[in-house]
Amino acid sequence: METVVKGTLGSLSPSITEILRHKGETVTVRGMVHSIRELGDVNFLILRLHDGVLQCVVQKERMPENIAEECAVAVTGELIAEERAQHGAEIHAETVQVLSHPKEPMPLVTNKRRMNTSLEALLNYRPVSLRNQGQRAIFKIQEGIVRGIREFFYENEFTEIHSPKIVAAGAEGGANIFQLDYFGKKAFLAQSPQFYKQTMVGVYERVFEIGPVFRAEKHSTSRHLNEYTSVDFEMGFLNSFYDIMDAETAMLRSAFQTLTDLYGEYVEQLKVEIPRVDAIPFVRFDEAKRLVAEKYGHPTRSRFDLEPEEEVLIGRYFKEEMGSDFVFVTHYPTRKRPFYAMDDPEDSSLTLSFDLLFRGVEITTGGQRIHDYDMQVDKMHRLGMDPEEFTSFLMIHKHGMPPHGGLGAGLERICARLLNLPNVRYCTMFPRDLSRLEP
């Protein structure tokens, strides 16, 4: 008797794990034709399902004449144990029904384990290049990272929020902000949920958001995007800004443990080296510059920020000296941090802020925020800002806020560094940068 294998939602698209429970039975499985290999009187029809590929053995006389790669098909046959097949089983097809047929052949070869093509071609043909098993695995790893991060937040009683992406003022200031017409008024695309997550600390104490942010930066580098996914959290009643660093360490530990526990297939497929995050070392900004200048002879060009080359060398130093893929760089100069950053009470030229470097690339910026109304207004005046333009934001300070702080981390950068990919666009489904608005 035929078994129509149903998924957990009662659909006709079950997981491969569910299908494999029916060895020795006649099953009907639906999927896309990933590849066809002819071998004498039989064809090996590889079906692509939502969670992987499944092999079907089809006698030549049972193959439809119009079948081709990327056809949607329904295959009925007995599920037979076969050690040489990828999942230890294959379907010996009795019938193959073509449900839909592509109009044109694929512009790229996607049915190989890895695609030997340029990044430009991958992105130009993104709707089809994402069908490749290796490309799909990248975004399953990214899903696992987000899943582990969310589990950390929920376990530690953070409330998930969703802030507006059309705003009246930029959180970061400067020229790297997209302006738009909002019914005759000037508005912007949000550079960050900063103001809103600080606001919600006064409501829930601990909040997080995972969503898009927009930067009008005219960079064309391997690490910059004009729209990316930001992992943000903010927490109240800090003892010090080191509490935020401890929280991020635990967050990353949760993400990587989730990958180990639940995404092993993809970790193995992409040969992912999961880093240890038992503890992350930290170093002050000025000390980090001194260390790399002395050890690697790198000249200091800027006293107020880290150059990409310095980040690489700092990452190298802590890998060599402490075996860590991560390092927090703390106490950045006030000149390079936003107006809401808390100044170091011992040296007002520095802030209680940090960046987190992962394998030599900055993935996070965070720190303690100013919570006192007079202190925030005074800093705005010192920076030549008009507090009247930030009335709604300053409302939280005026009506009482606890000591608080948080961070924003770039999901695509985390993923790219974990997979040791040279460009964040490999970890972006549909990148938006200086030259790309489609697909």
Side-chain angles (χ1 to χ4, degrees):
M1 186 176 78
E2 176 187 345
T3 301
V4 178
V5 185
K6 293 190 175 183
T8 54
L9 298 178
S11 71
L12 298 181
S13 298
S15 68
I16 291 175
T17 300
E18 290 168 322
I19 293 168
L20 294 177
R21 296 192 183 112
H22 296 272
K23 289 178 184 175
E25 300 178 38
T26 296
V27 300
T28 294
V29 177
R30 292 161 172 79
M32 304 298 292
V33 176
H34 195 58
S35 67
I36 302 172
R37 289 188 290 114
E38 297 182 7
L39 187 62
D41 292 333
V42 300
N43 291 304
F44 289 92
L45 183 66
I46 309 301
L47 291 188
R48 187 176 69 247
L49 282 65
H50 69 271
D51 60 339
V53 295
L54 188 64
Q55 180 169 289
C56 304
V57 180
V58 188
Q59 296 296 321
K60 184 168 287 188
E61 65 271 15
R62 293 178 177 172
M63 284 286 282
E65 291 184 3
N66 64 338
I67 197 167
E69 290 177 7
E70 298 306 321
C71 281
V73 298
V75 178
T76 298
E78 186 177 0
L79 184 64
I80 302 292
E82 172 53 71
E83 292 182 359
R84 291 170 295 181
Q86 180 174 340
H87 299 286
E90 61 189 14
I91 296 175
H92 287 202
E94 297 166 7
T95 62
V96 178
Q97 178 188 5
V98 176
L99 305 175
S100 72
H101 199 281
K103 180 72 173 177
E104 296 180 359
M106 295 284 277
L108 299 172
V109 177
T110 61
N111 55 25
K112 304 297 182 185
R113 182 169 287 273
R114 300 245 178 140
M115 296 184 68
N116 294 317
T117 189
S118 67
L119 176 59
E120 189 72 10
L122 284 177
L123 300 182
N124 287 342
Y125 297 101
R126 205 55 163 160
V128 293
S129 69
L130 285 170
R131 300 179 185 185
N132 170 261
Q133 289 295 92
Q135 293 296 304
R136 287 179 12 145
I138 289 173
F139 294 99
K140 291 302 288 186
I141 291 291
Q142 190 175 98
E143 174 196 90
I145 293 170
V146 173
R147 184 172 178 176
I149 286 172
R150 272 203 165 90
E151 286 179 0
F152 163 78
F153 286 133
Y154 291 140
E155 287 173 1
N156 288 277
E157 300 183 24
F158 282 73
T159 295
E160 185 168 9
I161 63 172
H162 304 282
S163 63
K165 304 308 169 199
I166 300 176
V167 297
E172 308 297 329
N176 63 338
I177 185 167
F178 288 106
Q179 184 175 326
L180 55 94
D181 177 76
Y182 190 71
F183 304 108
K185 298 178 181 179
K186 186 188 296 184
F188 307 93
L189 292 180
Q191 299 165 300
S192 162
Q194 185 63 46
F195 295 166
Y196 296 98
K197 63 179 182 173
Q198 283 188 252
T199 296
M200 297 309 291
V201 166
V203 179
Y204 292 119
E205 189 181 316
R206 300 177 185 179
V207 296
F208 78 96
E209 178 170 6
I210 302 174
V213 295
F214 306 88
R215 303 291 174 96
E217 295 171 322
K218 295 184 178 180
H219 293 303
S220 184
T221 75
S222 62
R223 56 196 283 177
H224 287 96
L225 294 166
N226 295 110
E227 177 185 354
Y228 66 90
T229 303
S230 185
V231 177
D232 281 88
F233 74 76
E234 206 80 6
M235 47 197 284
F237 295 99
L238 300 179
N239 292 308
S240 79
F241 79 114
Y242 292 102
D243 292 344
I244 308 162
M245 296 154 63
D246 290 341
E248 181 167 27
T249 302
M251 180 189 83
L252 291 170
R253 190 182 304 125
S254 175
F256 297 149
Q257 191 62 53
T258 298
L259 289 178
T260 301
D261 293 344
L262 302 177
Y263 291 79
E265 173 188 349
Y266 304 105
V267 169
E268 182 178 350
Q269 180 181 341
L270 296 179
K271 310 297 183 201
V272 182
E273 181 185 345
I274 303 291
R276 293 182 59 184
V277 283
D278 298 331
I280 296 178
F282 55 87
V283 61
R284 292 175 69 103
F285 174 86
D286 52 358
E287 177 68 4
K289 279 185 169 286
R290 185 188 66 79
L291 288 173
V292 298
E294 290 181 358
K295 182 162 186 178
Y296 305 111
H298 188 278
T300 298
R301 296 185 178 91
S302 171
R303 294 186 297 113
F304 303 106
D305 207 355
L306 294 180
E307 301 169 355
E309 296 85 354
E310 286 178 307
E311 291 181 356
V312 170
L313 292 176
I314 293 167
R316 177 181 166 187
Y317 180 92
F318 281 87
K319 182 66 172 178
E320 292 173 351
E321 297 295 323
M322 302 187 69
S324 177
D325 288 296
F326 294 92
V327 57
F328 285 110
V329 180
T330 69
H331 296 87
Y332 274 74
T334 300
R335 179 169 168 177
K336 295 299 292 186
R337 294 280 128 153
F339 69 90
Y340 48 79
M342 174 77 79
D343 291 340
D344 184 347
E346 297 181 3
D347 183 348
S348 62
S349 70
L350 304 176
T351 56
L352 300 180
S353 69
F354 62 86
D355 281 358
L356 177 61
L357 310 185
F358 180 18
R359 293 174 179 164
V361 174
E362 175 246 307
I363 61 167
T364 297
T365 295
Q368 187 165 347
R369 323 303 188 188
I370 297 173
H371 59 272
D372 178 79
Y373 177 80
D374 291 333
M375 186 183 296
Q376 182 62 89
V377 170
D378 179 63
K379 187 167 184 178
M380 286 177 164
H381 285 309
R382 284 189 283 117
L383 294 175
M385 301 171 64
D386 182 2
E388 291 296 321
E389 296 179 3
F390 296 88
T391 301
S392 61
F393 172 60
L394 288 172
M395 191 184 302
I396 67 174
H397 303 76
K398 185 178 290 185
H399 298 291
M401 284 290 286
H404 67 280
L407 59 80
L411 177 62
E412 292 84 357
R413 287 194 188 182
I414 295 172
C415 189
R417 298 318 303 140
L418 178 64
L419 301 180
N420 287 314
L421 293 170
N423 196 306
V424 293
R425 288 159 184 79
Y426 284 106
C427 294
T428 312
M429 281 191 179
F430 299 98
R432 294 293 173 257
D433 55 29
L434 274 176
S435 61
R436 192 170 296 281
L437 194 56
E438 293 182 317

